[in-house]
């Protein structure tokens, strides 16, 4: 088994960049909107020390992966993920998706259960909030004109942090510094935002959840204004093997704010299945 590897795979019309390290059962991490694969840096060592192999990749439109012309769809990005899993011979694997990555993980688990052992959906499952719909429309407006660095930063902070965290200057300054190092624009940004909007407009939510045959852990964050815990709880209830957990005290960015806790909860779920 490879201990460390960086490379690319070509799936359909896109080349996807990935990193792979560790030994043991594979865990594929799927990024949220605009999120580069390096953002899983906190989580990977925790899983690897526990005996898992970790795989992270840049979705189409972000980082070192290709950014074909928009629009994109979650189904299209799911096919990208399935192709990567197949080419790296990872099936059946655990998948963890955050935000948009959770949408992809959910669709992958429903459409390609042969590739998935278990799935953890962080801050993603359920009907999106009215605020989330408005936010996507605002993001698309910005993406179609020109990136506004300070607008992007404050918008991401408001979306990701709880009101208590936003009152902590050290937390705000740290997140602003991290966000400010990237300048995400162009077709990839437009495409990923359009994928979110299309997912939020879909019908037959209950039927889709009921068709998921693999064990799924829906992980919600107490102060998430995009996918509140009530939405995640509803989604898990309709999944035949769905479980629900709420991480207290954090907003949509809870996977980063409480990395140790979310990793522990995810691995306990893996162990049960």
């Amino acid at each position: 088994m490879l201990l460390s590897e960086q490379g690319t795979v070509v799936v359909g019309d896109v080349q996807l960049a990935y990193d792979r390290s560790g030994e043991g059962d594979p865990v594929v991490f799927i990024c949220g909107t605009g999120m580069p694969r390096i953002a899983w840096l906190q989580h990977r060592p925790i899983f690897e020390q526990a005996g898992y192999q970790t795989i992270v990749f840049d979705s189409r439109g972000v980082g070192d992966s290709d950014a074909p012309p928009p629009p994109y769809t979650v189904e299209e990005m799911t096919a990208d993920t399935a192709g990567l899993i197949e080419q790296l011979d990872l099936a059946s694997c655990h998948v963890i998706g955050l935000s948009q990555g959770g949408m992809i993980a959910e669709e992958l688990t429903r459409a390609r259960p042969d590739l998935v052992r278990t799935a953890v959906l962080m801050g993603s499952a359920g009907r999106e909030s009215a605020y989330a719909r408005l936010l996507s429309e605002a993001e698309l407006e910005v993406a179609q004109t020109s990136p506004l660095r300070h607008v992007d930063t404050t918008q991401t902070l408001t979306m990701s942090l709880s009101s208590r965290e936003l009152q902590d200057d050290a937390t705000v300054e740290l997140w602003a510094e991290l966000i400010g190092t990237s300048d995400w624009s162009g077709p990839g940004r437009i495409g990923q935002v359009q994928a979110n909007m299309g997912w939020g407009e879909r019908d037959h939510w209950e039927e889709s959840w009921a068709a998921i045959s693999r064990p799924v852990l829906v992980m919600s964050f107490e102060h998430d204004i995009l996918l509140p815990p009530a939405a995640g709880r509803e989604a898990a209830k309709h999944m035949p093997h769905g479980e629900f957990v709420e991480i207290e005290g954090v907003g949509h960015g809870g996977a980063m704010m409480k990395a140790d806790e979310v990793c522990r909860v995810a691995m306990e779920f893996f162990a049960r299945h």
Side-chain angles (χ1 to χ4, degrees):
M1 180 64 66
L2 292 171
L3 294 177
S4 181
E5 172 184 291
Q6 290 184 318
T8 60
V9 297
V10 176
V11 181
D13 62 346
V14 294
Q15 180 171 270
L16 304 173
Y18 72 89
D19 298 337
R20 178 181 188 178
S21 60
E23 294 182 298
D25 291 342
V27 182
V28 176
F29 294 84
I30 310 176
C31 294
T33 309
M35 176 180 167
R37 66 190 190 277
I38 196 174
W40 293 110
L41 190 63
Q42 292 174 273
H43 308 77
R44 297 180 68 196
I46 298 173
F47 281 86
E48 290 170 13
Q49 289 165 14
Y52 291 95
Q53 176 189 172
T54 67
I55 300 89
V56 296
F57 68 100
D58 290 333
S59 298
R60 66 165 62 203
V62 171
D64 297 320
S65 292
D66 289 344
Y72 305 165
T73 66
V74 167
E75 291 78 9
E76 202 169 32
M77 298 175 77
T78 298
D80 295 342
T81 307
L84 179 136
I85 290 171
E86 290 176 322
Q87 291 196 40
L88 296 182
D89 194 24
L90 301 173
S92 63
C93 58
H94 302 289
V95 295
I96 295 177
L98 172 62
S99 195
Q100 182 184 75
M103 301 173 193
I104 296 167
E106 179 182 328
E107 178 62 14
L108 179 72
T109 306
R110 185 196 65 78
R112 293 295 309 272
D114 56 307
L115 301 181
V116 178
R117 182 172 174 181
T118 68
V120 178
L121 315 180
M122 297 180 177
S124 64
R127 305 171 199 270
E128 66 178 4
S129 66
Y131 176 80
R133 291 191 294 273
L134 290 170
L135 179 64
S136 290
E137 292 170 1
E139 285 184 315
L140 186 59
E141 286 182 359
V142 171
Q144 289 175 329
T145 54
S146 59
L148 304 173
R149 178 67 60 83
H150 295 299
V151 171
D152 286 350
T153 300
T154 53
Q155 178 177 279
T156 301
L157 287 170
T158 303
M159 174 185 72
S160 301
L161 302 180
S162 68
S163 58
R164 176 177 295 179
E165 290 162 341
L166 287 168
Q167 293 176 46
D168 182 346
D169 288 349
T171 298
V172 170
E173 288 167 0
L174 175 61
W175 273 67
E177 181 180 355
L178 294 173
I179 296 166
T181 62
S182 63
D183 183 10
W184 185 45
S185 60
R189 181 171 184 172
I190 294 171
Q192 286 206 0
V193 173
Q194 289 173 326
N196 291 341
M197 295 175 73
W199 181 259
E201 293 168 356
R202 67 180 183 148
D203 296 321
H204 311 299
W205 292 89
E206 290 86 352
E207 292 89 338
S208 179
W209 294 326
I212 296 175
S213 60
R214 293 292 188 239
V216 175
L217 176 64
V218 175
M219 184 182 295
S220 294
F221 304 115
E222 181 182 9
H223 301 299
D224 192 339
I225 56 178
L226 301 184
L227 274 300
R233 191 175 288 108
E234 179 196 11
K237 180 180 68 175
H238 289 283
M239 296 176 187
H241 305 286
E243 299 180 24
F244 175 81
V245 64
E246 181 176 331
I247 305 298
E248 297 181 351
V250 287
H252 193 66
M256 280 61 192
M257 296 298 295
K258 289 196 171 182
D260 288 344
E261 181 176 353
V262 301
C263 290
R264 174 182 56 78
V265 171
M267 286 189 289
E268 289 172 353
F269 172 70
F270 293 168
R272 291 197 296 275
H273 302 280

